[in-house]
Amino acid sequence: MVEPLTPPDQSSLELWPVGNCQVSGLIDRRGALVWGCVPRVDGDPIFNSLMNGDRHDLGEWRFELEGQVAATQQYERNTPILVTRLEAEDGSAVEIRDFCPRFERSGRMYRPVAWVRIVRPVAGAPRMKVVLRPTRGYGQHVAETTNGTNHIRYLVGAQAIRLSTDAPIGHVLSARVFRVESDQHFFLGPDEPFSGNLRAEVRQMVEQTRKYWKLWVRGLHIPLEWQDDVIRCAIALKLCQHEETGAIVAALTTSIPEAPHSERNWDYRFCWIRDSYFTVQALNRIGALDVLEKYLAYLRNIIDSAQGGQIQPLYSVMGDSELDETTAAHLAGYRGMGPVRVGNAAYYQVQHDCYGQIVMPTVQAFFDRRLLRMADDRDFASLEKVGEMAWKMHDQPDAGLWEFRTRQEVHTYSAVMCWAACDRLANVAAHLGKEDRLKLWRERAEAIREKIEREAWVEDGDAGHFGASFESDYLDASLLQMVELRFLQPDDPRFQSTFAAVEKALRRGEHMLRYDSEDDFGLPETAFNVCTFWLIEALHMAGRDEEARALFDTMLAHRTASGMLSEDIDFDSGELWGNFPQTYSLVGIINCAGLLSKPWSEVR
């Protein structure tokens, strides 16, 4: 994709994620690193120009050619290694290779808090300057520097990071233009001397990182159609996992608004139990068991620390339960649309669907013999505490999956998820031969089912439909998940009438709203991308495959050049909004591709 290289008037979600499951970064269409946090995804964004209005003099790392005119970007096949070609008006050009090292070394996974960039002259006699200006304190201060012969130290808080390079240090410090006559290697990472030959070590790193990702992709079970699209989403989802603990963040960013000037700006750099459930479910379908295994370890720690089985909607990637919400006063926000939030007050909300989303992925560990650690009786005893909370809370008001901040109701989706928790615990009890527990959990699941069928049903002429809550008859897109959760079958007339009502009320052409009623911030202004994928799934179940495929192709066309989607989309202009890349949306691509693809048997 060719783009003009002058600094943009405003930020864009045309971004390319890189990472290694410890640290991540977002590269913009100029090849600039505009978002990156240390020492992990929820840390201080030392690269933050994405969230600082039209300021591009601070909080980013870019290579700028003299006379720049265009850029071309693409990932190396089946990797998150990004190649950006910068071209100047005189025909000269350089190629930038961006990656975060990830490979096995000394019996462990080497994934340092580091970004690596290799600049190679590929045409003419390019002249370039390096602009590297990290900040600290969420944009409050420019990082102070000290330097040696071949390195620069940047003080970015209580710790420093070190740039080791074979480029001229003085030119980097002063952002002076110089001729690029040979490959230039840049390793920005831990504040320690770089051991070995920089050029040789960095080249070995990129080769080993390339090998790791190609082998990881090789183990995926992908559909025949849309293979590249599924692979790209799978890699991005894996980059959203903090491997140290197994937590999966909802997105790599904070505070990209759901709609312009809406103040629907949230910090998504945390592990939502709900979002993570959808992520591991999608990756499990294509065989990425390593992500599931690490996440199950994270869940076991969450369950162990839960007070009486009570689960929060979200936790930090380290498992911290308190995520107090503040604002970063020194960052202007995406396109100047603040506030930039740090932390998320949703952690103290009551959201009862999380009990089902704890139980459902954990249940697999009792049945799947591929896993290195299968679950046992002790795990079942711990999981039953979560089930007890699901039973206790299934008919109690909560904020719901859309996290309403000013009202509570008994949400149908939450009740169905509590039913799923009890239903799946009954399955595990049967597998373990625990007849008394099987009877208990089956009876509870049936009691919840009967209450949902009675309390959530809305009489509407001859057909009727399920409503979004027990107290009111409004609709939301989560009702389309009742088949996925096995609460209803696709041919159940109640699902068919509910689907018809949801589609009529919430569909806006090629997009789907979460709901169309006013919430804490007024009427929704954008469509929620995962809901459109739920619509595609429902169309497929209704036998409307041609329409489902057409809508799926339309959604794919809305992706960025990197193959990503954010959380929301303007249903009039098609512009992407919301945090990026959003795991929900990438999950939708993987799931729909699997549903709609022709079988592999057609080419065998």
Side-chain angles (χ1 to χ4, degrees), residues 395-447:
D395 59 355
Q396 298 302 302
D398 72 350
L401 81 162
W402 308 125
E403 300 186 340
F404 298 122
R405 292 197 170 199
T406 59
R407 71 173 190 259
Q408 291 193 346
E409 296 180 356
V410 181
H411 290 94
T412 303
Y413 180 81
S414 296
V416 171
M417 268 296 180
C418 289
W419 165 84
C422 297
D423 178 73
R424 301 329 188 250
L425 282 169
N427 294 343
V428 175
H431 176 71
L432 297 176
K434 299 179 181 294
E435 293 298 327
D436 57 332
R437 309 312 292 170
L438 166 62
K439 182 175 183 293
L440 173 74
W441 290 114
R442 191 64 73 206
E443 288 176 349
R444 288 180 170 180
E446 188 56 35

Side-chain angles (χ1 to χ4, degrees), residues 513-532:
L513 301 180
R514 286 174 288 185
Y515 45 82
D516 65 353
S517 57
E518 286 197 17
D519 60 17
D520 313 334
F521 293 83
L523 287 171
E525 301 174 64
T526 53
F528 203 66
N529 285 325
V530 74
C531 296
T532 304

Side-chain angles (χ1 to χ4, degrees), residues 94 118-122 126 128 166-168 178-186 199 203:
V94 298
I118 304 171
V119 181
R120 173 173 298 168
V122 292
M128 177 189 78
D166 49 14
F178 65 96
R179 180 177 286 195
V180 185
E181 297 183 324
S182 61
D183 293 2
Q184 309 285 296
H185 303 81
F186 300 81
R199 179 187 182 94
R203 290 190 172 191

Side-chain angles (χ1 to χ4, degrees), residues 275-296:
D275 299 50
S276 299
Y277 157 70
F278 282 108
T279 298
V280 296
Q281 179 195 53
L283 288 176
N284 185 50
R285 285 172 172 164
I286 58 175
L289 274 184
D290 59 328
V291 177
L292 172 66
E293 285 188 309
K294 291 181 177 66
Y295 179 63
L296 290 179

Side-chain angles (χ1 to χ4, degrees), residues 144-148 151-155 173:
E144 299 172 1
T145 64
T146 59
N147 65 278
H151 77 269
I152 305 172
R153 294 177 70 250
Y154 297 89
L155 185 60
L173 283 168

